[in-house]
Amino acid sequence: MNVIRAVQLYLEKMVADAGPGMKMLMMDRETTSVVSMAFSQSEMLQKEVFLFERIDSGRSNERLKYLKCIVFIRPTRDNILRLQSELKSPKYGCYYINFSNIIPRTDIKTLAESDESESVREVKEIYADYLPVNPNLFSLNIPTCLQSLSWNPEALERTVQGVISVLLSFKFRPAIRYKSSSSVAQTLAKKIHDTINKETALFSFRPPEDGSPPPMLLILDRRDDPITPLLNQWTYQAMVHELLTINKQRVDLSGVQSVPKDLKEIVLSTEQDEFYAANLYSNFGEIATTIKGLMDEFQKKVHDQKKIESISDMKNFVETYPQFKKMSGTVSKHLVLISELSLQVSKQQLFEISELEQEIACRADHSTQLQRVKRLVSDEKINLQNALRLILLYSMRYERHANCGTSGLLKMLQDRGGRAYIAPRMLEYISTSARQELFNTVKITDAVKLTRNLIKGLKGVENVYTQHNCVLKEVLEEVTRGRPLDAAYPIMGNELPFRRPPQEIVVFVIGGTTYEEALAVHRYNQDGYKIILGGTTVHNGDSFIEEIMAATAGVPLKHSRSLQQFHHAPPGDA
């Protein structure tokens, strides 16, 4: 089960079906992202795709009849209208039309009527209507999906289409389970169930001959675990997203000083970058040590005896030996990344902040933790976003404590110019079941500990292992062990539950997933399970806070009346 490979196979077949010869690829905004995350431009050129065009961009009148046009677009109303216009006055010799999802027959008929010159050779559905992020992770690129804590109708429709596309990619007709306490999870489960029943012909896959359980689609709600996206991460991919932001496999370093011009934008793709694929889930110290090992090997070849003991030494080494940069391929760009990560860890005092985050998330010690949060929130060296996240974690854990200090902490944050009004929204966002389960079980309190190690042989890099257990990890433990789920995660429809655990699992998180959860899935897959994870988006701390703001806009205060004074944003504040 590999979502990147699934998309690649569809795209390879799409291009092969157009036959030999020069081809151009016409896409829309979303399918452009799908293609770029599956293949590099050079790989597309090797497949004789020499031109790329957006169907939603301005159209030139130049006729290129010698080119075959492969169309790969989403079956939206706007795209159908644009394609109609294209076919009425065809610019290319012939068209091979591929929709990324199910298209109504009425729309096919409309397109046929527009094709007066009979330039369309074929029309197909290829189910690649999602962004393949990692082999085990997909995103629908929906930054915010709720309004007033209910589904945004457009986001719901897009989510149903995306999940249906994933199921068709892997030929799954799954048993659908959802978090019973989440109305949005139940709504999505019903919509997907209804679509599968409506499209019976598409989902007529043979059941397993050995009588094993069907695949499972497990629908979760971000509101049941709002802690995970707020914690600082220490594995490579998660750190880059948290501190620098990964947007469709790209990291923008244009605002970072001393970065070479050719590295102002860095592409991070597990398919195109072996080093990244191998170190995706390595912790911060491990990846620095790996790069140092590569440099040590090169030093032996060039007989350089100079010691490399820090990330600064590494940067100087690359500048001294440009041939190492050429030989090492992608290693130099990762050195730029870990150098910037190291700078941010030091600048933002993330070791101390992360340690306190973990303690709040995992252990009840109100008096000590309140004093530590106060000290950090009042420290001008701590940036406002990190201060806010500490307050959000504290307020969730201790909102019912007799001596809860959230109001005082928010006053301190507000005096520094921070967005204190987000905390009351956070307390409205967190679900009732999360209030009952996240901070009130011995299992969570005792299981999570923070350890700190200094990587020997490399000065200046401290490697923090965080043992926070996301809720998803515990849910997957129940699923893979075959424990009864009926009460907390009922089955949608009339299917009888299998008591044996499913062989394949698709997990979907409404409100966005995280790279920490992708790591949990990766570890299960290493043990032989077949699990893929998806979400409306992939969050870091900043994007999750924006999700909270959008989801709770217009929601009256119920759980945080004592914070009424902080509820409204200052005029003009986004």
Side-chain angles (χ1 to χ4, degrees), residues 393-408:
L393 290 166
Y394 169 89
S395 66
M396 283 191 285
R397 176 175 269 287
Y398 296 114
E399 63 171 315
R400 292 177 182 153
H401 195 281
N403 298 316
C404 178
T406 299
S407 185

Side-chain angles (χ1 to χ4, degrees), residues 84-224:
Q84 274 186 270
S85 177
E86 176 73 30
L87 295 178
K88 283 178 181 176
S89 177
K91 179 177 173 181
Y92 302 100
C94 57
Y95 292 79
Y96 295 81
I97 300 173
N98 301 267
F99 291 103
S100 66
N101 214 315
I102 301 168
I103 180 169
R105 289 187 178 183
T106 51
D107 286 342
I108 295 177
K109 183 181 177 184
T110 301
L111 291 173
E113 291 169 352
S114 303
D115 183 26
E116 295 173 358
S117 63
E118 298 185 351
S119 54
V120 175
R121 295 295 177 266
E122 61 184 19
V123 178
K124 288 185 176 178
E125 293 173 353
I126 67 169
Y127 306 109
D129 204 12
Y130 52 89
L131 298 184
V133 181
N134 290 350
N136 68 345
L137 177 65
F138 70 91
S139 166
L140 300 184
N141 196 34
I142 305 171
T144 59
C145 63
L146 304 183
Q147 55 188 38
S148 299
L149 298 181
S150 296
W151 272 107
N152 173 309
E154 290 182 6
L156 175 58
E157 182 183 1
R158 176 68 187 94
T159 301
V160 171
Q161 293 166 348
V163 175
I164 286 291
S165 174
V166 171
L167 297 178
L168 289 170
S169 287
F170 291 96
K171 295 181 169 58
F172 287 167
R173 181 168 185 147
I176 304 171
R177 288 189 179 270
Y178 61 95
K179 185 64 185 287
S180 60
S181 58
S182 169
S183 62
V184 294
Q186 183 175 4
T187 298
L188 179 60
K190 187 175 187 312
K191 288 272 190 183
I192 292 171
H193 184 264
D194 291 347
T195 303
I196 290 173
N197 288 336
K198 179 185 174 185
E199 302 290 347
T200 308
L202 286 176
F203 283 92
S204 58
F205 308 121
R206 287 184 181 179
E209 293 180 3
D210 60 359
S212 60
M216 178 186 292
L217 170 62
L218 181 62
I219 300 175
L220 306 180
D221 188 340
R222 181 79 273 157
R223 295 177 63 213
D224 291 332

Side-chain angles (χ1 to χ4, degrees), residues 401-419:
H401 195 281
N403 298 316
C404 178
T406 299
S407 185
L409 291 171
L410 291 177
K411 180 68 170 64
M412 294 168 67
L413 183 70
Q414 193 173 60
D415 289 346
R416 284 188 60 197
R419 299 191 293 173

Side-chain angles (χ1 to χ4, degrees), residues 285 288-290 292-293 296 307-311 313-314 454-461:
T289 306
T290 301
K292 181 180 182 294
D296 287 344
K307 281 191 176 182
I308 299 176
E309 295 187 325
S310 69
I311 288 173
D313 292 342
M314 289 184 189
L454 185 65
I455 295 294
K456 292 179 181 178
L458 185 66
K459 298 174 184 177
V461 177

Side-chain angles (χ1 to χ4, degrees), residues 21 67 112 149 158 195 207 216 250 274 354 357 409 418 432 506 513:
L67 280 178
L149 298 181
R158 176 68 187 94
T195 303
M216 178 186 292
R250 283 163 170 74
E274 289 183 16
S354 181
E357 287 174 350
L409 291 171
T432 303
V506 178
T513 188

